[in-house]
Amino acid sequence: MLMLTRDEETGETMNDRQLRDEVMTLMLAGHETTATTLTWTWYLLSEHPDVARRLREELAAVLGGRTPTMSDVPNLVYTRMVIEESLRLYPPAWVTVRKVDNDDIIGGYHIPAGSTVVVSAYVLHRNPTFWPDPERFDPERFTPERVAERPRFAYIPFSAGPRQCIGNTFALVEAQLILATIAQRYHLDVAPGHRVAPEPLITLRPKGGMPVIGRTV
Ligand code: HEM
């Protein structure tokens, strides 16, 4: 698809360098972020057996042991809520940065042209105005009714605006399918004694990885 793409104005195709850069961006932006999302999700499920149980009930009802396919995605409703809540507490892209073109006033603060504004999903997703009891892992926050009650920009794991994540939908579907496939066969418990701590690098990773012990369901 990338090789066939033509510039709308010049009609040119991409040269090899551009193609390579596009592929690298898709692989890097698309792999680590989704992998990290799943790592945090396994951690949260390991800490919340009640949520893990409910997730497995949904998987048993919808899939009955089958490997999920694209057509199952709309029915894996709770699975999706678990991932969305995991992305709230541990957004892999924990900060995004914007350069300011023109002087502006935001929330009473003067923002001079040329300055850099840092927006943190991690902080916003813990704002108690939008997220009561913010540290609590609660997938119920993502029922359609509760989502409709919140301002749209209270939740920005994929950023917002014209440069928001282009892989947003793909990432959610991919995470949903992987979680459903693995969770119906295995429990992954965080290794006893392992201290879990976030490490805010380019992505928000668990410091020292996430050693787990697997058992079959
Ligand atoms: C859970 C997984 C993911 C998260 C949390 C995530 C998060 C983000 C965020 C926050 C941005 C915007 C950065 C900014 O505003 O400065 C972004 C941009 C981007 N993402 Fe994702 N992403 C994920 C998965 C993916 C996947 C699967 C792909 C590709 C298959 C992808 C490709 C991209 C690309 C190409 C951009 C740059 C878009 C642009 O600048 O126009 N991402 N992502």
Side-chain angles (χ1 to χ4, degrees):
M1 281 169 73
L2 288 172
M3 288 168 80
L4 293 174
T5 302
R6 287 182 178 275
D7 187 301
E8 280 174 12
E9 280 158 26
T10 65
E12 282 175 25
T13 52
M14 284 190 233
N15 64 35
D16 285 355
R17 175 83 211 182
Q18 287 170 317
L19 275 173
R20 178 253 175 220
D21 287 352
E22 291 293 334
V23 171
M24 284 302 283
T25 305
L26 286 174
M27 284 179 66
L28 294 179
H31 174 74
E32 162 136 2
T33 44
T34 314
T36 308
T37 302
L38 286 163
T39 304
W40 287 117
T41 306
W42 292 118
Y43 159 65
L44 290 163
L45 289 171
S46 160
E47 295 284 298
H48 296 86
D50 47 327
V51 175
R53 198 172 312 116
R54 191 154 160 216
L55 172 69
R56 290 200 174 86
E57 280 166 14
E58 173 172 277
L59 299 179
V62 175
L63 304 171
R66 272 190 304 111
T67 302
T69 66
M70 272 305 279
S71 61
D72 295 307
V73 166
N75 299 322
L76 296 170
V77 177
Y78 192 68
T79 313
R80 166 80 167 244
M81 285 160 62
V82 168
I83 291 162
E84 288 179 314
E85 174 68 340
S86 166
L87 278 165
R88 178 185 72 83
L89 281 171
Y90 297 105
W94 62 286
V95 280
T96 46
V97 177
R98 291 292 182 270
K99 189 143 174 269
V100 178
D101 275 346
N102 302 308
D103 274 34
D104 208 343
I105 294 175
I106 303 177
Y109 292 91
H110 175 225
I111 314 286
S115 46
T116 301
V117 175
V118 179
V119 181
S120 173
Y122 185 93
V123 174
L124 179 62
H125 292 175
R126 281 171 169 72
N127 184 331
T129 313
F130 311 117
W131 309 100
D133 196 3
E135 291 291 341
R136 197 160 69 90
F137 175 59
D138 178 14
E140 293 299 318
R141 298 181 201 267
F142 287 91
T143 58
E145 300 76 35
R146 300 270 295 277
V147 170
E149 284 166 8
R150 274 189 304 267
R152 194 171 138 220
F153 296 122
Y155 183 65
I156 52 161
F158 296 101
S159 187
R163 303 314 296 234
Q164 73 167 56
C165 180
I166 202 169
N168 177 341
T169 309
F170 179 86
L172 287 173
V173 167
E174 185 187 16
Q176 225 174 337
L177 289 175
I178 296 172
L179 182 62
T181 304
I182 299 176
Q184 65 174 344
R185 296 180 59 190
Y186 302 103
H187 293 274
L188 299 181
D189 302 314
V190 176
H194 178 74
R195 209 179 139 264
V196 176
E199 188 174 31
L201 303 171
I202 293 181
T203 54
L204 186 68
R205 305 165 77 161
K207 198 170 184 173
M210 187 74 73
V212 294
I213 296 176
R215 344 177 236 125
T216 42
V217 167

